Amino acid sequence: MSASGLPPLPPQFKAVQHVLRTAQELDKREPVVAYYCRLYAMQTGMKIDSKTPECRKFLCKLMDQLEAMKKQLGDNEAITQEIVGCAHVENYALKMFLYADNEDRAGRFHKNMIKSFYTASLLIDVLTVFGELTDENVQHRKYARWKATYIHNCLKNGETPQSGPIGMEGEYYDENEEVGSPALPGQESQASSATYEPGNAPTSNFTGIHIPPGAHAPANTPAEVPHTTGEIRLTPEDFARAQKYCKYAGSALQYEDVSTAVQNLQKALKLLTTGRE
């Protein structure tokens, strides 16, 4: 679905400009992610201004788009089941991050990798439609957003960025500065022929990142999974969370990221054997 049916973006909604643009760019490749991007923009816009006539008009049109997309994707369990939708969006953010992180660590600095870091951070914002972000996602968003800004500024100033998680002091993301002028990974880039392909992402090289990016980073040395006696009563939500961790593990294995797969399988095992995460 095209965003062309929307009226001009009211100035009050500038904060959701980039996420709406991301939705439009993902409409064909990832319609589920595009749907949740628009849902995030809708919820955010309602909080900003739902009374001004131009804002109300914009939100009404956006709601129409969401309803049409929901009808079109109605048989997709990522739309009908929130936990599946959350896993879908988070996995796509992971793919974007892994692509950018691999390019960064290989010293390949270009517009596509900046856009990937930036888009990954936006998609973590989008995860708030499912509830409060985990501490891991908050840290991961901070790292991705900082990296996008840092590398963007270096290239703009003719400097060579440093690879990997160097000190983050003094680097702040400015959402009023246009980082997202390049095409999304997978589209043509004049700066590099390297592109992101969802089915052909590189292996993660997370070793050494000293932030806790949860499902997106190598596991710490795991503690022994406690074994308990007696009956463990698991709720439907527990089973759903365990399924989510298994989905994350499967996604990580597609990119030969063994440590992430092991971490998530351990989380699922601990939940199923103890009833706690």
Side-chain angles (χ1 to χ4, degrees):
M1 173 175 294
S2 170
S4 59
L6 291 176
L9 185 74
Q12 298 95 313
F13 292 164
K14 188 172 183 180
V16 299
Q17 176 181 353
H18 294 309
V19 77
L20 285 172
R21 183 177 301 162
T22 298
Q24 188 175 6
E25 291 168 330
L26 293 177
D27 269 332
K28 292 183 179 179
R29 289 203 307 278
E30 281 288 337
V32 169
V33 180
Y35 171 82
Y36 284 114
C37 285
R38 290 192 174 94
L39 182 59
Y40 168 81
M42 180 75 187
Q43 292 181 357
T44 304
M46 291 288 289
K47 294 174 184 176
I48 294 172
D49 187 344
S50 61
K51 296 181 179 179
T52 304
E54 61 176 343
C55 291
R56 287 179 62 87
K57 180 181 178 181
F58 186 89
L59 291 172
C60 286
K61 290 293 185 181
L62 183 57
M63 189 178 295
D64 289 343
Q65 280 197 346
L66 282 167
E67 288 300 319
M69 291 187 74
K70 191 171 185 178
K71 186 176 298 184
Q72 183 180 357
L73 301 169
D75 58 347
N76 191 317
E77 65 175 1
I79 299 296
T80 59
Q81 300 182 39
E82 279 197 357
I83 195 164
V84 179
C86 181
H88 188 98
V89 175
E90 193 166 6
N91 279 338
Y92 194 74
L94 165 64
K95 295 175 187 178
M96 301 293 281
F97 190 97
L98 291 183
Y99 166 79
D101 182 66
N102 191 76
E103 293 293 282
D104 175 35
R105 291 173 179 275
R108 294 189 290 265
F109 305 109
H110 52 86
K111 290 182 177 181
N112 269 352
M113 67 97 76
I114 295 171
K115 187 65 178 289
S116 287
F117 269 133
Y118 180 53
T119 303
S121 75
L122 287 182
L123 293 182
I124 295 174
D125 283 335
V126 170
L127 288 173
T128 59
V129 304
F130 303 104
E132 187 175 353
L133 293 178
T134 63
D135 290 341
E136 291 85 356
N137 278 334
V138 170
Q139 291 292 329
H140 204 62
R141 176 180 60 185
K142 180 180 179 181
Y143 182 81
R145 195 158 292 179
W146 163 73
K147 263 295 180 179
T149 305
Y150 166 71
I151 297 171
H152 171 76
N153 289 340
C154 284
L155 297 184
K156 183 176 67 174
N157 296 328
E159 302 170 359
T160 301
Q162 288 183 256
S163 298
I166 60 174
M168 296 170 63
E169 294 79 5
E171 292 289 342
Y172 297 96
Y173 170 70
D174 179 5
E175 66 182 16
N176 294 319
E177 181 172 4
E178 178 62 61
V179 177
S181 57
L184 270 175
Q187 298 175 336
E188 191 67 27
S189 170
Q190 296 178 352
S192 172
S193 60
T195 55
Y196 165 80
E197 294 293 343
N200 189 30
T203 302
S204 171
N205 290 314
F206 270 101
T207 305
I209 288 185
H210 300 299
I211 59 172
H216 309 154
N220 296 323
T221 303
E224 288 291 325
V225 176
H227 295 280
T228 60
T229 57
E231 184 179 358
I232 302 297
R233 295 186 180 277
L234 298 174
T235 66
E237 290 76 16
D238 292 331
F239 287 110
R241 283 197 295 272
Q243 288 179 336
K244 179 180 71 171
Y245 289 133
C246 290
K247 284 178 181 289
Y248 291 163
S251 177
L253 287 175
Q254 292 179 7
Y255 308 107
E256 301 177 5
D257 188 355
V258 176
S259 58
T260 299
V262 169
Q263 182 192 36
N264 283 283
L265 289 173
Q266 287 170 335
K267 287 182 177 181
L269 179 61
K270 180 179 179 181
L271 178 60
L272 294 173
T273 56
T274 69
R276 300 191 306 273
E277 291 191 76

